[in-house]
Amino acid sequence: MEVNDSIFRCFMKIGFDPNLIEEDFADLDKTFSPYIWGANKVDAKLKKLKYVDYGDDLRLILLQFYVKPTLIELNSIKDIESYRKNEKSIGIPIIVDNENFFSKSEEVRCIFLKQSILQKLDLLENVVKKKKLDTNIEQLKIDLQNILN
């Protein structure tokens, strides 16, 4: 059994729109998933970053990709979730919609994902400082920038 000691993991949720048919959900999944879980894509790159290299207080940063969330879902998504001390984890939501992803070229889609992840680390830095976590966020940001380039 493989031990996952990566500080980052990815999660995807497609918004529940009753007007969409099953094929629409499959198309959204087929279009977006390869950017995250395809060969040499975001998830594969992020797995190189191990939590032990940055401290012990933060072991998991879950990148939560919300694909075309409904208005109700959008209203409940925070910029960044609360730090969960028992799990030593935090969730970072990233909204993926027509405006910022689906209507764009492949190159612009990749740029959007990279920039979104890096910008969210600025919010994470605030949480790390506020909660006085031992996480070396500066080094994490540098390493993340290097692997996403």
Side-chain angles (χ1 to χ4, degrees):
M1 185 168 144
E2 180 183 332
V3 175
N4 192 342
D5 56 355
S6 172
I7 194 166
F8 285 100
R9 294 201 197 109
C10 298
F11 164 84
M12 178 184 82
K13 181 186 181 301
I14 298 173
F16 178 73
D17 182 344
N19 298 320
L20 292 179
I21 57 174
E22 192 173 320
E23 289 81 19
D24 294 331
F25 285 103
D27 287 344
L28 290 172
D29 180 45
K30 195 184 315 179
T31 302
F32 182 72
S33 290
Y35 286 89
I36 304 302
W37 292 285
N40 199 30
K41 295 298 180 178
V42 171
D43 186 63
K45 292 177 181 180
L46 295 176
K47 283 183 179 177
K48 298 174 185 173
L49 302 176
K50 309 300 181 192
Y51 70 83
V52 295
D53 296 332
Y54 305 101
D56 192 49
D57 286 341
L58 186 58
R59 293 188 176 194
L60 173 62
I61 301 167
L62 182 63
L63 297 176
Q64 304 165 321
F65 296 97
Y66 289 92
V67 179
K68 289 192 168 185
T70 64
L71 189 56
I72 293 170
E73 290 170 326
L74 266 176
N75 290 332
S76 66
I77 297 172
K78 300 176 184 177
D79 289 334
I80 190 165
E81 292 187 352
S82 299
Y83 172 69
R84 293 181 283 283
K85 186 176 181 179
N86 290 345
E87 298 172 7
K88 297 185 178 187
S89 67
I90 194 162
I92 298 181
I94 297 174
I95 308 298
V96 180
D97 58 23
N98 283 336
E99 266 184 53
N100 61 25
F101 187 83
F102 290 102
S103 66
K104 306 296 183 186
S105 68
E106 182 169 346
E107 180 182 355
V108 175
R109 289 174 175 180
C110 292
I111 291 169
F112 160 74
L113 289 172
K114 175 185 159 189
Q115 287 178 341
S116 296
I117 294 167
L118 291 171
Q119 287 171 352
K120 290 290 185 164
L121 248 54
D122 291 336
L123 295 175
L124 178 60
E125 183 174 21
N126 295 336
V127 173
V128 166
K129 288 178 182 175
K130 182 179 174 186
K131 296 288 184 181
K132 298 180 180 160
L133 305 180
D134 70 353
T135 307
N136 185 345
I137 193 73
E138 289 81 17
Q139 188 61 51
L140 179 59
K141 287 167 81 171
I142 291 167
D143 293 347
L144 183 62
Q145 178 119 26
N146 288 336
I147 68 162
L148 291 178
N149 281 335

